[in-house]
Amino acid sequence: MLYPFLILAFLLFLFLVGCRINLVRQTKPFIIKQKKKTTYRKAIVFGAGLNRNLLPTKVLRDRLDKTIQLVQAGQLDRILLSGGKAKKISEPKAMYSYLVERGINPNLLILDEEGISTFDTLKRAKQYFQLNQVLLITQKFHLPRAIGIAQQLDMDVIGIAADTKSFKINSIVWWYFRELFAWIWSLIKIKTRMGT
């Protein structure tokens, strides 16, 4: 009785891996190492959780540190900080504090406290904040999905990897494994919520 279940699980896994490989291939041309100063002057930084001290997690700090590098290089004019609300402080407010404390001009920053998922962040960026040509700042494991969703929303995007820190191997494996399922779930959201 266990064998049919294992076979189905294996086939599902192969399907998810295939979808991921296809997504990575399609979005690879839009992932850059460096960008021109004259284009994509607006950026989106995706939330990645707060720790028990209500400070950005290591993954989120990685994204914010990359943002700081780009601002210091004169690459950005506007930055959307997107994430969900916590009990005492929202992700965007924690992200805002982190950047401002490190010398980033507050006038560059826009906060979106309703970007509870990658899809919601990108949809709201386009509809409510009128951001269409943007640079996406997040880790390598997340960039293909973020770019894929943005393209489905007819946004003009490129992505830059925010991998300024090293992570434990089990943490990296978890994030990549999570992305297998997250892309399918994102496609479902795109099909069912495009008009809302």
Side-chain angles (χ1 to χ4, degrees), residues 35-37 39-45 66-80 108 134-137 160:
K35 79 172 192 68
K36 298 177 181 178
K37 284 189 176 182
T39 59
Y40 297 93
R41 301 284 304 178
K42 299 175 182 178
I44 297 174
V45 186
K66 186 64 178 182
T67 303
I68 292 170
Q69 290 178 8
L70 291 166
V71 172
Q72 291 175 342
Q75 294 275 3
L76 301 174
D77 295 326
R78 211 78 171 128
I79 305 160
L80 177 66
L108 297 179
V134 288
L135 173 72
L136 308 182
I137 303 174
I160 194 163

Side-chain angles (χ1 to χ4, degrees), residues 12-22 180:
L12 174 60
F13 179 73
L14 288 180
F15 171 75
L16 294 173
V17 170
C19 290
R20 172 69 180 184
I21 291 172
N22 186 54
L180 296 178

Side-chain angles (χ1 to χ4, degrees), residues 47-183:
L50 305 178
N51 60 29
R52 63 183 64 184
N53 296 318
L54 299 179
L55 298 172
T57 60
K58 189 175 181 180
V59 172
L60 183 50
R61 290 199 309 272
D62 212 10
R63 299 174 186 183
L64 296 170
D65 289 342
K66 186 64 178 182
T67 303
I68 292 170
Q69 290 178 8
L70 291 166
V71 172
Q72 291 175 342
Q75 294 275 3
L76 301 174
D77 295 326
R78 211 78 171 128
I79 305 160
L80 177 66
L81 307 175
S82 184
K85 296 179 181 178
K87 292 182 179 178
K88 296 181 180 179
I89 185 172
S90 69
E91 278 185 276
K93 286 181 180 177
M95 295 159 74
Y96 176 93
S97 297
Y98 185 95
L99 293 174
V100 171
E101 287 169 6
R102 286 157 181 80
I104 301 303
N105 185 343
N107 293 328
L108 297 179
L109 308 176
I110 310 169
L111 277 64
D112 178 16
E113 295 179 308
E114 295 184 40
I116 58 175
S117 70
T118 303
F119 171 80
D120 289 301
T121 290
L122 291 165
K123 185 178 179 183
R124 288 176 56 78
K126 181 177 181 178
Q127 290 186 348
Y128 297 106
F129 297 99
Q130 306 300 308
L131 299 178
N132 191 49
Q133 187 185 76
V134 288
L135 173 72
L136 308 182
I137 303 174
T138 186
Q139 278 81 8
K140 288 180 182 178
F141 63 78
H142 185 218
L143 274 174
R145 178 163 60 96
I147 293 171
I149 294 171
Q151 290 176 341
Q152 290 290 321
L153 294 171
D154 293 323
M155 297 175 70
D156 177 10
V157 301
I158 56 174
I160 194 163
D163 293 281
T164 64
K165 300 177 179 65
S166 59
F167 293 89
K168 293 179 180 179
I169 188 64
N170 59 334
S171 176
I172 292 296
V173 170
W174 158 248
W175 283 108
Y176 274 96
F177 181 74
R178 179 180 178 272
E179 284 299 313
L180 296 178
F181 297 90
W183 174 236

